[in-house]
Amino acid sequence: DVKVTQSSRYLVKRTGEKVFLECVQDMDHENMFWYRQDPGLGLRLIYFSYDVKMKEKGDIPEGYSVSREKKERFSLILESASTNQTSMYLCASSPGEGTAQFYEQYFGPGTRLTVT
Amino acid sequence: AQTVTQSQPEMSVQEAETVTLSCTYDTSESDYYLFWYKQPPSRQMILVIRQEAYKQQNATENRFSVNFQKAAKSFSLKISDSQLGDAAMYFCAYRRSLSGYALNFGKGTSLLVTP
């Protein structure tokens, strides 16, 4: 089974702090994603990566950055946390093209971040 | 951009009954993939069912089936013989052809299953 893990289920940070959310997948997937989930808004794409050291902005990248130094790990960074970044953050991964299941995304359990 | 609309924020069904969750989407593409994902309370998001747009046959996975109407851009999920474990948030999603094949999600439908 594909496993996507996230470093924390719950996190509380202060305004202005630098926050790191870690995501690790164990299936050698090329593509990794960070989504933000808010009630009534569904999931929105923050950033994605299709290879090591490659990253692309999603729909709501402002206030966030990412790092992918190793294929299995994709980190989301909040440079200076603000209260409007209080949310559920979901990491996902998917295989590359040419594989049997490259169309499917596998999700981590989520990190519920509260910024006070 | 391809938008996904779920018009039912909440739905309720009795155990053993059938329920249909609605989803419409907007796209100019002719070939694409659609998904239904399930997110149980405090648990991981999992894939329920997938539909390839070039396939005319509606996808089925055990008690879950879809009604895919390509011309109408409609993609509803039918859950038959509902069980308590089906209670969850259900998201309809469209796979982009760019952006690393990221998903565009609807806002979700919360399904309550009553005994």
Side-chain angles (χ1 to χ4, degrees), chain B residues 51-110:
Chain B
Q51 176 77 43
E52 294 92 330
Y54 66 86
K55 290 187 177 180
Q56 294 187 348
Q57 188 171 8
N58 289 326
T60 299
E61 289 286 342
N62 301 314
R63 299 182 294 106
F64 298 87
S65 62
V66 299
N67 183 5
F68 174 51
Q69 303 287 329
K70 191 173 183 180
K73 296 179 182 174
S74 171
F75 182 59
S76 60
L77 175 70
K78 186 171 83 171
I79 306 174
S80 305
D81 186 25
S82 296
Q83 300 174 359
L84 294 177
D86 294 334
M89 184 70 82
Y90 287 82
F91 291 96
C92 179
Y94 179 106
R95 194 192 72 163
R96 307 181 193 192
S97 56
L98 298 173
S99 299
Y101 303 105
L103 298 173
N104 286 352
F105 286 89
K107 294 181 179 181
T109 297
S110 179

Side-chain angles (χ1 to χ4, degrees), chain B residues 2-13:
Chain B
Q2 300 89 1
T3 57
V4 178
T5 302
Q6 294 179 249
S7 58
Q8 306 154 316
E10 294 178 348
M11 292 284 284
S12 181
V13 63

Side-chain angles (χ1 to χ4, degrees), chain A residues 8 15 27 39 42 50-51 58-59 62 73 77 92-94 97 103 110:
Chain A
S8 305
T15 301
M27 283 301 292
Y50 52 90
D51 202 350
D59 302 320
E62 297 78 20
R73 188 179 297 270
I77 304 158
S93 72
S94 69
E97 289 188 62
Y103 44 73

Side-chain angles (χ1 to χ4, degrees), chain A residues 29-32 48-52 54-56 68, chain B residues 100:
Chain A
H29 286 172
E30 280 76 12
N31 303 315
M32 296 189 75
F48 68 95
S49 169
Y50 52 90
D51 202 350
V52 176
M54 306 302 289
K55 56 190 178 185
E56 297 272 354
R68 194 169 180 197

